[in-house]
Amino acid sequence: DLTKIVLIRNFKKLYLIDMATRKESFLTDLEIDMSNPSISPVNDKVVYTSKSLKEFYTSPINKAFKQRVRHLWLIDLKSRKKIDLTEDSPKQYSAPKWSPDGRRISFTSSSWDVYIKNMVNPSEGILKVGAGYFSEWLNEGFIYI
């Protein structure tokens, strides 16, 4: 309904602002590196990127170095429950976008590929769309660049 906006302060605090009343609600606090918040079309969830809880080997050649990577996270605005949507992946993800119907999320990886995650049936897995840097949903479909 275009009356709410989510924003990040200090790279680690997520807020929801009701634009009609200017009421601000604190949603969550992470240690650092939160970005790309996107509120669902029905204003009940926010997807964003932040560091994974696990460390991963990010290089197939160098197995001596593990690090936390940027994952997609989802927070339910009512319960404030957070989940890592890409928890078992060693890839870096960014730029999540909700589909207009709120049924899917598109996003990109550090290997410059665009993916789609089904939010109605999250256990369905992640679908690779193709090579691209960014994605955007149109009312009649999807585009990736």
Side-chain angles (χ1 to χ4, degrees):
D1 62 6
L2 304 177
T3 62
K4 294 181 177 53
I5 188 169
V6 289
L7 58 93
I8 294 170
R9 291 194 181 127
N10 302 322
F11 300 103
K12 64 180 186 173
K13 295 179 186 287
L14 185 65
Y15 291 86
L16 175 73
I17 298 176
D18 183 319
M19 296 305 292
T21 64
R22 300 288 189 194
K23 182 180 177 195
E24 184 176 293
S25 303
F26 173 76
L27 296 176
T28 191
D29 191 359
L30 294 176
E31 61 185 65
I32 197 155
D33 200 28
M34 186 189 298
S35 64
N36 304 119
S38 178
I39 194 165
S40 68
V42 293
N43 297 328
D44 64 340
K45 295 176 179 70
V46 173
V47 65
Y48 58 93
T49 58
S50 189
K51 292 287 185 172
S52 60
L53 295 178
K54 298 182 204 175
E55 291 185 337
F56 295 93
Y57 292 111
T58 56
S59 168
I61 298 167
N62 184 359
K63 294 292 185 185
F65 183 66
K66 282 179 129 180
Q67 67 179 359
R68 292 172 55 201
V69 294
R70 294 177 63 74
H71 274 188
L72 295 182
W73 287 82
L74 183 78
I75 184 168
D76 182 282
L77 295 180
K78 187 174 184 180
S79 70
R80 304 290 203 263
K81 181 181 176 187
K82 298 179 287 195
I83 58 168
D84 183 342
L85 295 174
T86 51
E87 68 179 326
D88 293 325
S89 176
K91 292 184 179 182
Q92 305 262 14
Y93 295 110
S94 64
K97 303 267 183 142
W98 287 95
S99 64
D101 63 6
R103 298 172 59 88
R104 295 171 298 269
I105 295 172
S106 66
F107 53 96
T108 59
S109 72
S110 56
S111 58
W112 303 115
D113 291 312
V114 174
Y115 295 88
I116 294 176
K117 174 117 177 114
N118 184 331
M119 298 307 293
V120 175
N121 185 7
S123 63
E124 189 175 282
I126 296 173
L127 172 67
K128 181 178 174 181
V129 176
Y133 300 111
F134 301 101
S135 61
E136 187 65 51
W137 292 92
L138 306 174
N139 286 334
E140 293 89 31
F142 176 73
I143 185 171
Y144 59 100
I145 302 168

